[in-house]
Amino acid sequence: MSLTILEVERIARLARLEVTPAEVEISCQQLNGIFSLIEALKAVDTAGIEPMAHAQDACLRLRADEVIYRDEDGTARALFQSLAPEAENGLYLVPKVIE
């Protein structure tokens, strides 16, 4: 598949992009280069190859979910609210954004 200059101009118009004739030619060449790479990738025989989640055989190091700090009631609300700019009666106060 390859694009013509007219098709690139049409795509630019549909995308509401203002492009000069020189930019259209460069974009046309670059897009056609991308399409040729895609065709080359399609030509590779991948039969019998399992899809991979990652290019390397890496796994994430996981840690246990542990609550580090708790108040007497089992939450860390007091600690978190002490860090907030404004809090009152267990609620976070934020500036009014809608009038």
Side-chain angles (χ1 to χ4, degrees), residues 38-52:
I38 292 171
E39 291 300 321
L41 288 173
K42 283 183 179 179
V44 175
D45 181 25
T46 58
I49 298 176
E50 256 186 71
M52 298 172 21

Side-chain angles (χ1 to χ4, degrees), residues 5-21:
I5 290 178
L6 293 175
E7 291 171 326
V8 173
E9 288 173 343
R10 181 173 181 268
I11 292 168
R13 188 176 65 254
L14 290 171
R16 305 280 194 258
L17 298 174
E18 184 179 341
V19 290
T20 64

Side-chain angles (χ1 to χ4, degrees), residues 2-99:
S2 64
L3 294 174
T4 64
I5 290 178
L6 293 175
E7 291 171 326
V8 173
E9 288 173 343
R10 181 173 181 268
I11 292 168
R13 188 176 65 254
L14 290 171
R16 305 280 194 258
L17 298 174
E18 184 179 341
V19 290
T20 64
E23 291 173 329
V24 170
E25 287 186 35
I26 292 170
S27 297
C28 186
Q29 292 171 1
Q30 290 175 342
L31 288 170
N32 285 329
I34 292 169
F35 288 141
S36 66
L37 286 173
I38 292 171
E39 291 300 321
L41 288 173
K42 283 183 179 179
V44 175
D45 181 25
T46 58
I49 298 176
E50 256 186 71
M52 298 172 21
H54 196 275
Q56 297 177 342
D57 194 21
C59 58
L60 297 175
R61 292 182 288 157
L62 301 177
R63 62 175 174 78
D65 283 338
E66 298 175 11
V67 177
I68 296 172
Y69 177 85
R70 287 189 180 172
D71 287 340
E72 298 79 36
D73 62 352
T75 66
R77 178 184 288 181
L79 172 66
F80 296 142
Q81 290 202 339
S82 70
L83 301 172
E86 291 186 59
E88 183 179 297
N89 296 331
L91 302 172
Y92 296 98
L93 303 177
V94 295
K96 186 176 182 180
V97 293
I98 299 175
E99 294 185 32

